[in-house]
């Protein structure tokens, strides 16, 4: 029987280098070490020339902003690394324990990294995961098409390059200790350093998310026009860290790889919206960031759908001219097409609401002159929105029918189950997990205590009032519709209206699905930076008054914010799951390498990762065939007869079923 792993409270375990157990924490002794030397760069005596050009105010400001951005990036990298180590005691775990710590879909994704790393060569490992008959036995699948595992492919390549380079120059990449775990448990080997695959894997994830914080500082600085705005963004993120990210608890999840590129993408989009005539290079970088955001995460298309909808709204009311809007739409189409190619023709991309919405909005934008009927602007906006909604739904249904795709049908059912009494096996599998439930009632209260909610409300209302005044002033004009349109196309406030609408979209997503707070809370942090924007809050007359205003806000935020940081740092735990460890060891030594297993989805991911045995179901639930297969496997816990269940499992080729009685005895929603 397998039981779930957990991070339990750490009580100074009896784990040490020797065999004695005296109540002290694990002590580790290096198996082998090599000295490291550092060489200093010689100082050059060549005198500087053109000092004035190098020390211009703009260069100094840019350099200082980059230095601060780098500092907060390193700070966040260290912070999430510390939280992860405190929670798991990861540095003291054996290889098997580290793999068990990657539960559910995390273990499934990491298994492909492990497969490429342990393969004879990089390309043989790549061929192995592209012709995989272990994940959904007996079917052979291309995991690059079915799953979003490009991060693992890239990290595995970097790991192999790193190991080969370090071996060539003779540098040690990891240090190993023998760890006595006490409590009559056998000693294990624990390795630390980038030469350990799991260590390398999580370290690069944390570095990427450290760079994300640097982007947040630059993003907030550019949006608000003040370095103080960037500081406010970073400070709010740290003060609301538990509501902003899960990377410190679940590094291998797709959002850990994907979300940093959304921050980059939205920063670039802000620049494009603010710049009257953005160059082609900006659109190319936007396309690249779109690809980097979509490839690692299947949910990215829904976020980009909300972005396109927000841009469509500011286009309708005149804050975005048609040429720039079409260029952005074309960029999204190109990035979607490239993702479709890179994922070997994954049909879910073409049949998504995002793809259908792009096509419909593009047609509306190109037909603007034709749609300019003699009617009130409000009626015209409503008609175009209705045309977009109905056209998107119709095109989505048409493409899904033509291509025969039903893989994303469960998404509509999940939303349907939240507002009606509808339920089926798939919706219950999702909604019984807290992260897919509605937003917790405590979340707004947490936002309130750090002041981020009232501050964002103030910024949001200020933008809404200014926008409403602009619309009223424009509606009073007696100019022709062409003149009316021209007066709006070159407005400088379009990016602010976009951010306000995007905030609303993220709020709706977070309320419906708690997991999606990771979009709402960071965007709220970015919106707080606008408190330092002169165009929005120019009514605070002098610069001293503005700085005093921000200082008071920071002091009030810090009362709860510092407490939140201390609470996170006080979390102490150590991963332990002896029952599952014994199960996996039994499977490795007591079953044949081709023995086929079935069971609960989280356990199957661990079986595949740590034993390499074929499995018939797994936690990646986005395929219609896999959902049907999982329902058959879970019939073991139904009221069907044992004979009927056994026949269904044997028809799938199952030889071993891992029965977890917790699924029968637990009483949760």
């Amino acid at each position: 029987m397998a039981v779930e792993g957990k991070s339990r409270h750490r009580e100074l375990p009896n784990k040490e280098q020797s065999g004695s157990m005296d109540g002290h924490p694990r002590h580790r002794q290096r198996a082998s070490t090599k000295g490291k030397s550092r060489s200093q760069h010689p100082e050059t005596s060549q005198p500087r020339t053109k000092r004035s050009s190098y020390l211009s105010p703009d260069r100094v400001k840019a350099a200082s902003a980059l230095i601060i951005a780098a500092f907060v990036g390193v700070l966040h990298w260290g912070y999430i690394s510390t939280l992860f180590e405190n929670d798991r005691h990861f540095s003291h775990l054996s290889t098997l324990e580290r793999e068990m710590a990657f539960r559910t879909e995390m273990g499934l994704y990491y298994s492909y990294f492990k497969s490429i790393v342990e393969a004879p060569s990089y390309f043989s490992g790549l061929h192995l995961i592209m012709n995989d008959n272990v994940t959904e036995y007996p079917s052979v699948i291309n995991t690059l098409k079915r799953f979003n595992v490009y991060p693992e492919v890239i990290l595995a390549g970097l790991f192999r390059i790193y190991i080969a380079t370090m071996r060539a120059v003779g540098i040690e990449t990891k240090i190993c200790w023998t760890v006595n775990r006490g409590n009559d448990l056998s000693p294990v080997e624990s390795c630390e350093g980038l030469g350990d695959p799991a260590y390398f894997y999580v370290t690069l994830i944390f570095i990427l998310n450290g760079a994300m914080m640097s982007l947040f500082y630059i993003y907030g600085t550019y949006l608000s026009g003040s370095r103080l705005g960037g500081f406010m963004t970073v400070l709010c993120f740290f003060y609301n860290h538990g509501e902003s990210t899960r990377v410190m608890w679940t590094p291998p999840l797709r959002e850990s790889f994907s979300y940093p590129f959304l921050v980059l993408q939205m920063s670039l989009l802000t620049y494009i919206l603010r710049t009257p005539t953005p160059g082609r290079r900006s659109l190319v970088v936007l396309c690249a960031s779109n690809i980097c955001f979509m490839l690692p995460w299947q949910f990215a298309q829904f976020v980009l759908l909300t972005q396109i909808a927000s841009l469509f709204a500011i286009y309708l009311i005149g804050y975005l001219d048609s040429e720039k809007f079409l260029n952005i739409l074309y960029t999204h189409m190109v990035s979607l097409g490239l993702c479709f190619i890179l994922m070997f023709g994954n049909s879910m991309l073409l049949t998504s609401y995002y793809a259908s919405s792009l096509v419909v909005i593009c047609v509306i934008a190109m037909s603007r002159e034709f749609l300019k009927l003699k009617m009130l602007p409000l009626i015209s906006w409503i008609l175009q929105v209705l045309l977009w909604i109905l056209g998107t739904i119709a095109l989505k249904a048409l493409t899904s029918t033509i291509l025969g795709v039903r893989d994303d049908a469960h998404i509509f059912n999940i939303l349907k189950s939240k507002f009606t009494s509808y339920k089926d096996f798939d919706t219950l599998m999702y909604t019984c997990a807290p992260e897919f439930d509605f937003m917790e009632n405590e979340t707004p209260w947490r936002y309130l205590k750090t002041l981020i909610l009232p501050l964002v409300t103030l910024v949001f209302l200020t933008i809404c009032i200014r926008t409403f005044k602009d619309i009223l002033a424009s509606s009073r004009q007696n100019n022709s519709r062409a003149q009316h349109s021209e007066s709006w196309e070159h407005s400088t406030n379009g990016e602010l209206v976009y951010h306000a609408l995007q905030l609303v979209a993220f709020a709706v997503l977070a309320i419906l699905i708690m997991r999606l707070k990771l979009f709402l809370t960071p965007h709220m942090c970015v919106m707080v930076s606008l408190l330092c924007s002169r165009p929005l809050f120019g009514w605070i007359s002098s610069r001293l008054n503005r700085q005093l205003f921000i200082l008071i806000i920071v002091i009030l935020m810090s009362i709860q914010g510092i407490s939140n940081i201390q609470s996170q740092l006080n979390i102490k735990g150590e991963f332990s799951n002896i029952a599952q460890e014994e199960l996996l060891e039994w499977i490795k030594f007591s079953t044949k390498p081709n023995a086929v297993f079935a069971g609960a989805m989280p356990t199957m991911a661990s079986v595949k990762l740590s034993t390499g045995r074929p499995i018939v179901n797994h936690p990646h639930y986005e395929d219609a065939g896999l959902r049907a297969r999982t329902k058959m496997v879970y019939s073991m816990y139904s009221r069907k007869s044992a004979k009927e269940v056994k026949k269904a499992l044997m028809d799938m080729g199952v030889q071993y079923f891992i029965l977890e009685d917790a699924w029968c005895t637990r009483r949760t929603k």
Side-chain angles (χ1 to χ4, degrees):
M1 181 184 71
V3 298
E4 292 188 5
K6 59 182 178 180
S7 287
R8 55 178 172 79
H9 183 71
R10 188 163 67 237
E11 299 179 351
L12 296 179
N14 300 326
K15 302 174 183 179
E16 56 182 43
Q17 172 65 23
S18 63
S20 62
M21 293 173 280
D22 55 3
H24 294 288
R26 301 186 185 196
H27 298 285
R28 305 174 294 181
Q29 181 177 349
R30 295 190 176 189
S32 62
T33 60
K34 290 187 179 182
K36 296 182 179 179
S37 60
R38 298 181 179 178
S39 59
Q40 298 181 347
H41 294 284
E43 297 183 359
T44 176
S45 59
Q46 185 176 358
R48 291 173 179 252
T49 60
K50 298 183 179 179
R51 180 182 298 272
S52 60
S53 63
Y54 284 110
L55 297 180
S56 63
D58 291 340
R59 288 180 178 269
V60 171
K61 287 182 180 180
S64 62
L66 290 176
I67 291 173
I68 296 173
F71 171 75
V72 298
V74 173
L75 182 65
H76 190 239
W77 171 23
Y79 183 66
I80 56 180
S81 299
T82 300
L83 293 178
F84 181 70
E85 173 63 21
N86 288 349
D87 181 56
R88 303 291 177 85
H89 218 189
F90 200 69
S91 61
H92 288 59
L93 300 180
S94 66
T95 299
L96 179 58
E97 288 174 318
R98 288 173 179 171
E99 291 178 353
M100 289 192 302
F102 298 147
R103 286 191 54 76
T104 64
E105 58 183 299
M106 295 187 290
L108 179 68
Y109 296 133
Y110 180 77
S111 69
Y112 301 116
F113 171 83
K114 179 181 177 182
S115 297
I116 299 177
V117 165
E118 294 182 349
S121 67
Y122 176 77
F123 289 105
S124 64
L126 192 60
H127 180 269
L128 181 67
I129 69 170
M130 291 176 65
N131 299 272
D132 178 21
N133 66 342
V134 176
T135 304
E136 294 181 8
Y137 182 87
S139 302
V140 178
I141 62 173
N142 180 355
T143 58
L144 288 179
K145 178 180 180 180
R146 280 284 307 279
F147 311 134
N148 301 79
V149 293
Y150 266 99
E152 281 67 29
V153 172
I154 295 172
L155 289 183
L158 293 176
F159 179 79
R160 297 185 73 106
I161 293 173
Y162 171 76
I163 293 298
T165 304
M166 294 300 103
R167 285 176 180 172
V169 298
I171 297 178
E172 183 181 10
T173 59
K174 64 180 178 180
I175 302 171
C176 298
W177 293 267
T178 299
V179 178
N180 185 353
R181 299 184 291 174
N183 299 327
D184 298 326
L185 297 174
S186 59
V188 295
E189 183 181 67
S190 178
C191 297
E192 192 172 358
L194 293 179
D196 180 79
Y199 231 91
F200 182 91
Y201 184 79
V202 298
T203 298
L204 262 65
I205 294 175
F206 292 152
I207 290 175
L208 175 62
N209 283 265
M212 178 191 70
M213 189 58 65
S214 300
L215 286 173
F216 267 122
Y217 176 80
I218 296 172
Y219 189 3
T221 299
Y222 181 73
L223 181 64
S224 64
S226 168
R227 283 175 291 179
L228 194 58
F231 168 77
M232 290 293 291
T233 298
V234 172
L235 192 68
C236 287
F237 195 99
F238 273 99
Y239 283 173
N240 298 273
H241 200 268
E243 307 294 323
S244 301
T245 181
R246 300 188 301 170
V247 66
M248 60 282 189
W249 315 131
T250 54
L253 288 183
R254 301 300 85 187
E255 64 207 47
S256 302
F257 296 100
S258 182
Y259 185 72
F261 292 102
L262 177 63
V263 180
L264 174 62
Q265 193 261 9
M266 292 184 67
S267 304
L268 290 167
L269 184 61
T270 303
Y271 167 78
I272 292 171
L273 293 176
R274 180 173 291 180
T275 306
T277 54
R280 183 176 299 178
R281 183 179 302 177
S282 302
L283 296 174
V284 171
V285 179
L286 180 68
C287 178
S289 61
N290 278 352
I291 294 173
C292 293
F293 175 52
M294 281 191 286
L295 275 183
W297 198 12
Q298 65 272 19
F299 193 82
Q301 54 179 292
F302 298 100
V303 179
L304 294 178
L305 172 62
T306 66
Q307 182 178 98
I308 293 300
S310 301
L311 292 173
F312 183 50
I314 66 172
Y315 161 76
L316 287 180
I317 60 178
Y319 279 103
L320 180 60
D321 65 85
S322 57
E323 181 180 358
K324 185 186 294 185
F325 185 42
L326 284 171
N327 285 334
I328 295 174
L329 292 177
Y330 296 152
T331 302
H332 275 266
M333 288 181 174
V334 171
S335 59
L336 179 64
L338 291 175
C339 285
F340 177 75
I341 295 172
L342 289 172
M343 294 195 70
F344 297 88
N346 188 321
S347 55
M348 278 190 65
L349 292 174
L350 293 186
T351 60
S352 64
Y353 285 103
Y354 169 56
S356 300
S357 182
L358 278 175
V359 174
V360 173
I361 292 179
C362 189
V363 171
I364 293 175
M366 290 189 296
S367 307
R368 181 165 186 175
E369 295 298 328
F370 176 76
L371 294 173
K372 282 185 177 180
L373 304 176
K374 292 183 178 181
M375 62 181 67
L376 293 174
L378 180 60
I379 298 177
S380 176
W381 299 342
I382 293 175
L383 288 177
Q384 291 183 70
V385 169
L386 288 176
L387 181 61
W388 163 57
I389 294 174
L390 296 177
T392 299
I393 294 174
L395 185 59
K396 153 72 177 171
L398 178 63
T399 54
S400 297
T401 302
I402 293 175
L403 298 178
V405 176
R406 298 182 297 108
D407 294 339
D408 56 353
H410 64 297
I411 297 173
F412 176 77
N413 291 336
I414 292 173
L415 295 176
K416 182 180 176 182
S417 68
K418 288 181 176 290
F419 301 103
T420 66
S421 59
Y422 175 82
K423 60 182 179 180
D424 58 19
F425 178 79
D426 299 326
T427 59
L428 290 174
M429 288 296 291
Y430 272 100
T431 55
C432 71
E435 57 268 28
F436 286 97
D437 204 350
F438 287 106
M439 178 189 286
E440 297 174 315
N441 295 330
E442 295 81 7
T443 299
W445 176 244
R446 298 190 193 108
Y447 288 154
L448 191 62
K449 288 195 289 187
T450 58
L451 294 185
I452 190 173
L453 181 58
L455 293 176
V456 169
T457 303
L458 174 62
V459 173
F460 179 77
L461 291 177
T462 303
I463 295 175
C464 290
I465 292 172
R466 288 170 59 93
T467 304
F468 186 67
K469 287 181 177 179
D470 288 343
I471 294 175
L472 285 180
S474 176
S475 64
R476 292 193 186 104
Q477 294 177 358
N478 295 321
N479 300 332
S480 64
R481 292 184 62 85
Q483 291 173 331
H484 168 75
S485 177
E486 184 65 23
S487 67
W488 275 85
E489 286 181 356
H490 302 288
S491 174
T492 58
N493 298 324
E495 71 276 7
L496 301 184
V497 182
Y498 158 71
H499 279 83
L501 293 172
Q502 190 69 73
L503 177 69
V504 174
F506 285 160
V508 172
L509 291 178
I511 291 172
L512 293 177
I513 301 176
M514 187 189 68
R515 177 181 181 180
L516 302 183
K517 286 190 299 184
L518 73 96
F519 296 116
L520 174 62
T521 312
H523 194 67
M524 293 173 72
C525 298
V526 173
M527 294 293 286
V528 170
S529 70
L530 290 172
L531 290 170
C532 306
S533 172
R534 290 185 180 181
L536 275 184
F537 293 92
W539 50 270
I540 304 180
S541 57
S542 68
R543 181 177 181 182
L544 178 61
N545 288 342
R546 279 195 298 271
Q547 292 179 347
L548 182 61
F549 173 64
I550 297 300
L551 178 61
I552 294 173
I553 290 175
V554 169
I555 293 173
L556 295 176
M557 290 173 57
S558 300
I559 297 174
Q560 181 63 38
I562 293 176
S563 175
N564 290 345
I565 293 176
Q566 290 175 342
S567 298
Q568 281 196 319
L569 291 174
N570 288 335
I571 296 175
K572 306 291 182 182
E574 180 176 354
F575 181 85
S576 178
N577 193 345
I578 304 303
Q580 190 178 62
E581 181 178 344
E582 293 174 347
L583 169 68
L584 296 175
E585 292 286 359
W586 181 87
I587 292 175
K588 285 196 289 186
F589 296 108
S590 302
T591 65
K592 297 180 180 180
N594 59 351
V596 183
F597 283 79
M601 292 186 290
T603 306
M604 289 301 97
S606 296
V607 170
K608 179 187 182 303
L609 168 61
S610 300
T611 70
R613 300 300 191 268
I615 57 177
V616 299
N617 62 308
H618 54 76
H620 195 278
Y621 210 60
E622 315 308 327
D623 179 72
L626 191 276
R627 292 197 294 271
R629 181 182 291 215
T630 300
K631 186 175 181 180
M632 293 176 62
V633 171
Y634 275 67
S635 65
M636 177 65 77
Y637 303 103
S638 70
R639 297 179 181 179
K640 294 181 179 180
S641 66
K643 182 178 181 180
E644 182 181 356
V645 173
K646 179 181 178 181
K647 182 179 184 302
L649 293 175
M650 293 187 67
D651 289 343
M652 289 190 291
V654 176
Q655 296 173 318
Y656 293 88
F657 188 95
I658 300 177
L659 182 69
E660 302 178 55
D661 56 5
W663 284 87
C664 301
T665 59
R666 67 175 63 178
R667 288 294 180 266
T668 68
K669 64 174 295 186

